[in-house]
Amino acid sequence: MSTVLVTGFGDYAEETDNPSGAIARRLDGRQVGDHRIVGSVLPVNTATVESALVSALDRARPDVVVVTGVAPGRTAPALERVALNVRDFPIPDTDGSTPIDEPVVVGGPPAYLATLPVKAVMDSWHRAGLPGYVSNTAGTYLCNQTFYLARHLTAGTEVRAGMVHIPVVPARATGDTTPLPSMPLALLEQAVLVAISVSAQHDGPDLRLGAGAIS
Ligand code: PCA
């Protein structure tokens, strides 16, 4: 039996019903195949997110960590390939803090690649009829910070860590004449579940599938 920690985020700015937090709550305690899921909701707070993540890691002792967060404007779920050691916040966090060009970890490596099998997850999404892609930037806000921390804290261990960004749900996209792209919560939850089970089961190197981008 392996354990997967899935984190989502609480509300922030215009995301007053963050689907990533809702999914983490819904999946907490679920067992999928041979995998036990621990779900945890993290604060959108640059000063406290690390201690919240460390407590979740201590509690779950996971084999796999899947950080999730909402990215308004994204068209579909995305596996993030890279976490940067940069905090350059486009909006303040829930405490009003707006770091500019500060590292996530002082003296840490400039970047980490995900240790989840991002291509295998993308392939399974497509086989399950779910849209999804590999993204080459997780931004420079809380999700990137948390993804970087998850990789930093698991570096040199067998634990695999990565991040999935999800679009907003339809309710968040109404009332606008140029609506944000959206997907229903049930489909987003299914995408996160596929990411969890493929990441927990996949053995050996990632699939060799092209999913690059020009920009
Ligand atoms: N999304 C933000 C932070 C919290 C969340 O759900 C991000 O993508 O950085």
Side-chain angles (χ1 to χ4, degrees), residues 35-120:
H35 321 298
R36 179 177 76 100
I37 302 175
V38 176
S40 178
V41 180
L42 303 176
V44 184
N45 183 317
T46 194
T48 62
V49 73
E50 179 166 4
S51 60
L53 178 63
V54 167
S55 322
L57 288 167
D58 285 347
R59 186 163 60 90
R61 305 233 148 262
D63 303 284
V64 173
V65 184
V66 180
V67 173
T68 74
V70 67
R74 293 286 182 99
T75 54
L79 258 303
E80 295 296 349
R81 197 197 295 260
V82 58
L84 295 178
N85 193 10
V86 171
R87 288 179 299 152
D88 188 0
F89 285 9
I91 53 172
D93 71 6
T94 53
D95 240 7
S97 182
T98 316
I100 295 176
D101 295 351
E102 290 180 29
V104 174
V105 174
V106 175
Y112 284 108
L113 296 179
T115 43
L116 301 186
V118 296
K119 302 291 182 68

Side-chain angles (χ1 to χ4, degrees), residues 9 12 18 20 44 69-70 141-143 165:
F9 281 99
Y12 68 100
N18 193 329
S20 69
V44 184
V70 67
Y141 194 47
L142 254 302
C143 282
H165 254 134

Side-chain angles (χ1 to χ4, degrees), residues 93-191:
D93 71 6
T94 53
D95 240 7
S97 182
T98 316
I100 295 176
D101 295 351
E102 290 180 29
V104 174
V105 174
V106 175
Y112 284 108
L113 296 179
T115 43
L116 301 186
V118 296
K119 302 291 182 68
V121 172
M122 184 192 72
D123 187 52
S124 291
W125 280 345
H126 295 174
R127 286 174 194 276
L130 293 164
Y133 63 103
V134 174
S135 158
N136 297 309
T137 172
T140 53
Y141 194 47
L142 254 302
C143 282
N144 173 71
Q145 178 178 352
T146 310
F147 174 21
Y148 186 94
L149 287 170
R151 278 292 287 110
H152 191 70
L153 293 165
T154 58
T157 74
E158 296 280 285
V159 179
R160 294 178 177 178
M163 134 141 244
V164 175
H165 254 134
I166 56 174
V168 300
V169 294
R172 163 73 172 84
T174 57
D176 198 328
T177 49
T178 50
L180 290 170
S182 64
M183 277 174 67
L185 191 66
L187 280 187
L188 297 177
E189 181 179 322
Q190 199 190 333

